[in-house]
Each structure stands twice: as structure tokens, then as C-alpha cells.
Amino acid sequence: MNPKVNIVVVVDVIGALSDGTLLNGNLCMIDDGEQSTGQGTPELCTVVRPGQVVTWSALAVDLQTPVEIKRITFLGADAEDGDADGDGERAGSGDAGVANSRTPGAQNPSARNPEAGNGQNGRGGRNGHGPERHNPELEVWSGVVPPLAPGVAHQYRLEVQMYEGEHSTLHIASPALMCQ
């Protein structure tokens, strides 16, 4: 097994914002793991081992549309009953123990560019699309897998940010990591 596994979150931003959900084919997840299940769906279950580095990155189907991972939260055992709003997207509390954070090079795109708002980069980019990224590949989340119970799927809540505004952040709580 490789010392690192990469998870790519592909979002149809226009579809997701129109539907108000990441379901209905608006999101697919894939990884380069050897035994993962649910490839190409929001139910990706990535098989990992303790000590392995996991990285998440987001891509939009329309490459000119901004999308980024806002937060990854591992759900506790109570997540099974956590669908309080009835949208099929469970929420919960707790942590499976996977430390996650943005990589050191990833920061707010406007913070990277002191001339944000000049029409080239940062807020106020071309066509009003918000932040333009110099290096979107730097905006990844990563974590090291701690010792976890083998064979147990540890679900996490994945929040993605698209554009700005009240309804620009959507989430799912169906993907998982599972130790062998």
C-alpha cells in the first residue's frame, strides 16, 4: 500500500448551486487507493492504514468556477441517527482521530495576493466569479491516519465552498475512511 492516498472531489458547481445539494450527480469522489469502494460517487469509502497520509483536493467540472474544500469533520458513532434536517446528509459530532488541515501553502486566495480586487486575482476576478487561484493544486487538505478499528467505516462531513453568499457552502456526510 502506498504511503499516501489522494482523494479528488469533483463538483458540478452550477448543478449543485441550482439544486441546493451535492447529491443528484453534482458531486463525485475518486481516489487512488487500491481497495476503495464507491469510486465516482459521494459514498466513497477509502481504504487506508495507520500512518498513511490522506490528501483531499477539489475540482470543478467547469474549470473556471471556484470550488474549494471548506472543512472536513469526522463524525462520531452517533452519526447514524444524525440526519436532523431530513436531507439525507447526516451531521454529527466527534472525531475519528484523523488530524486534518490545509497544507502550509494553502490559504485564502485573496491573502496570497496583496493586489486582490484588481481584476486579475483575488476577489473581484473576471466575470465576477470571485477568487481566481494562482495554484489551485496547493489548496489541499491532508491528514495522517491514526490507529483505527479495522473494518469500521469512519464517516466524515465534507463541506465545499462555491462562490460566496448564504447558500454557497454545501456538505455531504456519506464518504468514509476505513482501515484494513
PDB file of all heavy atoms in Angstrom, residues 65-82:
ATOM      1  N   THR A  65     -14.870  27.831 -12.619  1.00  0.00           N
ATOM      2  CA  THR A  65     -15.755  28.048 -11.487  1.00  0.00           C
ATOM      3  C   THR A  65     -15.021  27.742 -10.191  1.00  0.00           C
ATOM      4  O   THR A  65     -14.414  26.689 -10.058  1.00  0.00           O
ATOM      5  CB  THR A  65     -16.992  27.134 -11.614  1.00  0.00           C
ATOM      6  OG1 THR A  65     -17.564  27.310 -12.906  1.00  0.00           O
ATOM      7  CG2 THR A  65     -18.015  27.466 -10.556  1.00  0.00           C
ATOM      8  N   PRO A  66     -15.061  28.643  -9.216  1.00  0.00           N
ATOM      9  CA  PRO A  66     -14.336  28.388  -7.969  1.00  0.00           C
ATOM     10  C   PRO A  66     -15.032  27.380  -7.071  1.00  0.00           C
ATOM     11  O   PRO A  66     -16.233  27.455  -6.849  1.00  0.00           O
ATOM     12  CB  PRO A  66     -14.298  29.763  -7.301  1.00  0.00           C
ATOM     13  CG  PRO A  66     -15.501  30.472  -7.831  1.00  0.00           C
ATOM     14  CD  PRO A  66     -15.699  29.961  -9.231  1.00  0.00           C
ATOM     15  N   VAL A  67     -14.258  26.441  -6.571  1.00  0.00           N
ATOM     16  CA  VAL A  67     -14.736  25.479  -5.578  1.00  0.00           C
ATOM     17  C   VAL A  67     -13.531  25.116  -4.712  1.00  0.00           C
ATOM     18  O   VAL A  67     -12.416  24.983  -5.213  1.00  0.00           O
ATOM     19  CB  VAL A  67     -15.365  24.222  -6.219  1.00  0.00           C
ATOM     20  CG1 VAL A  67     -14.372  23.446  -7.037  1.00  0.00           C
ATOM     21  CG2 VAL A  67     -16.004  23.332  -5.166  1.00  0.00           C
ATOM     22  N   GLU A  68     -13.772  25.013  -3.425  1.00  0.00           N
ATOM     23  CA  GLU A  68     -12.713  24.588  -2.520  1.00  0.00           C
ATOM     24  C   GLU A  68     -13.317  23.855  -1.339  1.00  0.00           C
ATOM     25  O   GLU A  68     -14.497  24.009  -1.020  1.00  0.00           O
ATOM     26  CB  GLU A  68     -11.872  25.762  -2.042  1.00  0.00           C
ATOM     27  CG  GLU A  68     -12.609  26.756  -1.191  1.00  0.00           C
ATOM     28  CD  GLU A  68     -11.745  27.954  -0.830  1.00  0.00           C
ATOM     29  OE1 GLU A  68     -10.984  28.438  -1.670  1.00  0.00           O
ATOM     30  OE2 GLU A  68     -11.856  28.392   0.329  1.00  0.00           O
ATOM     31  N   ILE A  69     -12.501  23.039  -0.712  1.00  0.00           N
ATOM     32  CA  ILE A  69     -12.931  22.350   0.496  1.00  0.00           C
ATOM     33  C   ILE A  69     -12.858  23.341   1.639  1.00  0.00           C
ATOM     34  O   ILE A  69     -11.821  23.940   1.890  1.00  0.00           O
ATOM     35  CB  ILE A  69     -12.047  21.121   0.773  1.00  0.00           C
ATOM     36  CG1 ILE A  69     -12.194  20.108  -0.371  1.00  0.00           C
ATOM     37  CG2 ILE A  69     -12.407  20.498   2.130  1.00  0.00           C
ATOM     38  CD1 ILE A  69     -11.216  18.968  -0.304  1.00  0.00           C
ATOM     39  N   LYS A  70     -13.982  23.521   2.299  1.00  0.00           N
ATOM     40  CA  LYS A  70     -14.036  24.456   3.424  1.00  0.00           C
ATOM     41  C   LYS A  70     -13.690  23.763   4.735  1.00  0.00           C
ATOM     42  O   LYS A  70     -12.994  24.320   5.581  1.00  0.00           O
ATOM     43  CB  LYS A  70     -15.426  25.085   3.518  1.00  0.00           C
ATOM     44  CG  LYS A  70     -15.549  26.125   4.600  1.00  0.00           C
ATOM     45  CD  LYS A  70     -16.885  26.810   4.555  1.00  0.00           C
ATOM     46  CE  LYS A  70     -16.964  27.881   5.639  1.00  0.00           C
ATOM     47  NZ  LYS A  70     -18.243  28.570   5.584  1.00  0.00           N
ATOM     48  N   ARG A  71     -14.181  22.536   4.910  1.00  0.00           N
ATOM     49  CA  ARG A  71     -13.973  21.845   6.183  1.00  0.00           C
ATOM     50  C   ARG A  71     -14.204  20.346   6.000  1.00  0.00           C
ATOM     51  O   ARG A  71     -15.059  19.930   5.230  1.00  0.00           O
ATOM     52  CB  ARG A  71     -14.943  22.387   7.234  1.00  0.00           C
ATOM     53  CG  ARG A  71     -14.787  21.796   8.614  1.00  0.00           C
ATOM     54  CD  ARG A  71     -15.682  22.468   9.650  1.00  0.00           C
ATOM     55  NE  ARG A  71     -15.377  23.893   9.720  1.00  0.00           N
ATOM     56  CZ  ARG A  71     -16.279  24.863   9.546  1.00  0.00           C
ATOM     57  NH1 ARG A  71     -17.524  24.573   9.298  1.00  0.00           N
ATOM     58  NH2 ARG A  71     -15.922  26.137   9.630  1.00  0.00           N
ATOM     59  N   ILE A  72     -13.454  19.563   6.763  1.00  0.00           N
ATOM     60  CA  ILE A  72     -13.660  18.121   6.851  1.00  0.00           C
ATOM     61  C   ILE A  72     -13.779  17.791   8.333  1.00  0.00           C
ATOM     62  O   ILE A  72     -12.889  18.118   9.110  1.00  0.00           O
ATOM     63  CB  ILE A  72     -12.499  17.333   6.218  1.00  0.00           C
ATOM     64  CG1 ILE A  72     -12.388  17.646   4.728  1.00  0.00           C
ATOM     65  CG2 ILE A  72     -12.680  15.834   6.455  1.00  0.00           C
ATOM     66  CD1 ILE A  72     -11.149  17.085   4.062  1.00  0.00           C
ATOM     67  N   THR A  73     -14.891  17.172   8.714  1.00  0.00           N
ATOM     68  CA  THR A  73     -15.139  16.848  10.113  1.00  0.00           C
ATOM     69  C   THR A  73     -15.481  15.373  10.214  1.00  0.00           C
ATOM     70  O   THR A  73     -16.423  14.910   9.559  1.00  0.00           O
ATOM     71  CB  THR A  73     -16.321  17.668  10.667  1.00  0.00           C
ATOM     72  OG1 THR A  73     -16.092  19.048  10.402  1.00  0.00           O
ATOM     73  CG2 THR A  73     -16.499  17.433  12.154  1.00  0.00           C
ATOM     74  N   PHE A  74     -14.724  14.637  11.016  1.00  0.00           N
ATOM     75  CA  PHE A  74     -15.030  13.225  11.196  1.00  0.00           C
ATOM     76  C   PHE A  74     -16.172  13.078  12.189  1.00  0.00           C
ATOM     77  O   PHE A  74     -16.227  13.778  13.192  1.00  0.00           O
ATOM     78  CB  PHE A  74     -13.781  12.454  11.619  1.00  0.00           C
ATOM     79  CG  PHE A  74     -12.904  12.208  10.438  1.00  0.00           C
ATOM     80  CD1 PHE A  74     -12.012  13.177  10.018  1.00  0.00           C
ATOM     81  CD2 PHE A  74     -13.016  11.045   9.714  1.00  0.00           C
ATOM     82  CE1 PHE A  74     -11.238  12.986   8.890  1.00  0.00           C
ATOM     83  CE2 PHE A  74     -12.246  10.836   8.593  1.00  0.00           C
ATOM     84  CZ  PHE A  74     -11.354  11.808   8.172  1.00  0.00           C
ATOM     85  N   LEU A  75     -17.093  12.183  11.851  1.00  0.00           N
ATOM     86  CA  LEU A  75     -18.317  12.013  12.620  1.00  0.00           C
ATOM     87  C   LEU A  75     -18.153  10.915  13.645  1.00  0.00           C
ATOM     88  O   LEU A  75     -17.457   9.935  13.410  1.00  0.00           O
ATOM     89  CB  LEU A  75     -19.485  11.694  11.684  1.00  0.00           C
ATOM     90  CG  LEU A  75     -19.675  12.687  10.530  1.00  0.00           C
ATOM     91  CD1 LEU A  75     -20.794  12.233   9.617  1.00  0.00           C
ATOM     92  CD2 LEU A  75     -19.934  14.075  11.057  1.00  0.00           C
ATOM     93  N   GLY A  76     -18.839  11.072  14.757  1.00  0.00           N
ATOM     94  CA  GLY A  76     -18.806  10.068  15.811  1.00  0.00           C
ATOM     95  C   GLY A  76     -19.765   8.932  15.506  1.00  0.00           C
ATOM     96  O   GLY A  76     -20.463   8.914  14.498  1.00  0.00           O
ATOM     97  N   ALA A  77     -19.809   7.995  16.407  1.00  0.00           N
ATOM     98  CA  ALA A  77     -20.681   6.830  16.239  1.00  0.00           C
ATOM     99  C   ALA A  77     -22.148   7.225  16.193  1.00  0.00           C
ATOM    100  O   ALA A  77     -22.967   6.520  15.618  1.00  0.00           O
ATOM    101  CB  ALA A  77     -20.441   5.830  17.371  1.00  0.00           C
ATOM    102  N   ASP A  78     -22.515   8.383  16.776  1.00  0.00           N
ATOM    103  CA  ASP A  78     -23.901   8.817  16.789  1.00  0.00           C
ATOM    104  C   ASP A  78     -24.338   9.367  15.433  1.00  0.00           C
ATOM    105  O   ASP A  78     -25.491   9.719  15.248  1.00  0.00           O
ATOM    106  CB  ASP A  78     -24.138   9.865  17.870  1.00  0.00           C
ATOM    107  CG  ASP A  78     -23.300  11.130  17.673  1.00  0.00           C
ATOM    108  OD1 ASP A  78     -22.287  11.072  16.944  1.00  0.00           O
ATOM    109  OD2 ASP A  78     -23.666  12.161  18.253  1.00  0.00           O
ATOM    110  N   ALA A  79     -23.451   9.404  14.454  1.00  0.00           N
ATOM    111  CA  ALA A  79     -23.781   9.971  13.139  1.00  0.00           C
ATOM    112  C   ALA A  79     -24.852   9.173  12.427  1.00  0.00           C
ATOM    113  O   ALA A  79     -25.520   9.679  11.544  1.00  0.00           O
ATOM    114  CB  ALA A  79     -22.527  10.047  12.269  1.00  0.00           C
ATOM    115  N   GLU A  80     -25.045   7.908  12.800  1.00  0.00           N
ATOM    116  CA  GLU A  80     -26.054   7.085  12.137  1.00  0.00           C
ATOM    117  C   GLU A  80     -27.447   7.691  12.249  1.00  0.00           C
ATOM    118  O   GLU A  80     -28.262   7.553  11.363  1.00  0.00           O
ATOM    119  CB  GLU A  80     -26.060   5.680  12.730  1.00  0.00           C
ATOM    120  CG  GLU A  80     -24.787   4.911  12.461  1.00  0.00           C
ATOM    121  CD  GLU A  80     -24.508   4.749  10.981  1.00  0.00           C
ATOM    122  OE1 GLU A  80     -25.435   4.463  10.232  1.00  0.00           O
ATOM    123  OE2 GLU A  80     -23.340   4.929  10.571  1.00  0.00           O
ATOM    124  N   ASP A  81     -27.732   8.384  13.340  1.00  0.00           N
ATOM    125  CA  ASP A  81     -29.043   8.982  13.541  1.00  0.00           C
ATOM    126  C   ASP A  81     -29.007  10.496  13.419  1.00  0.00           C
ATOM    127  O   ASP A  81     -29.931  11.171  13.836  1.00  0.00           O
ATOM    128  CB  ASP A  81     -29.584   8.611  14.925  1.00  0.00           C
ATOM    129  CG  ASP A  81     -29.744   7.120  15.077  1.00  0.00           C
ATOM    130  OD1 ASP A  81     -30.193   6.473  14.117  1.00  0.00           O
ATOM    131  OD2 ASP A  81     -29.390   6.615  16.150  1.00  0.00           O
ATOM    132  N   GLY A  82     -27.952  11.028  12.833  1.00  0.00           N
ATOM    133  CA  GLY A  82     -27.746  12.466  12.861  1.00  0.00           C
ATOM    134  C   GLY A  82     -28.375  13.249  11.739  1.00  0.00           C
ATOM    135  O   GLY A  82     -28.064  14.411  11.544  1.00  0.00           O
TER     136      GLY A  82
END
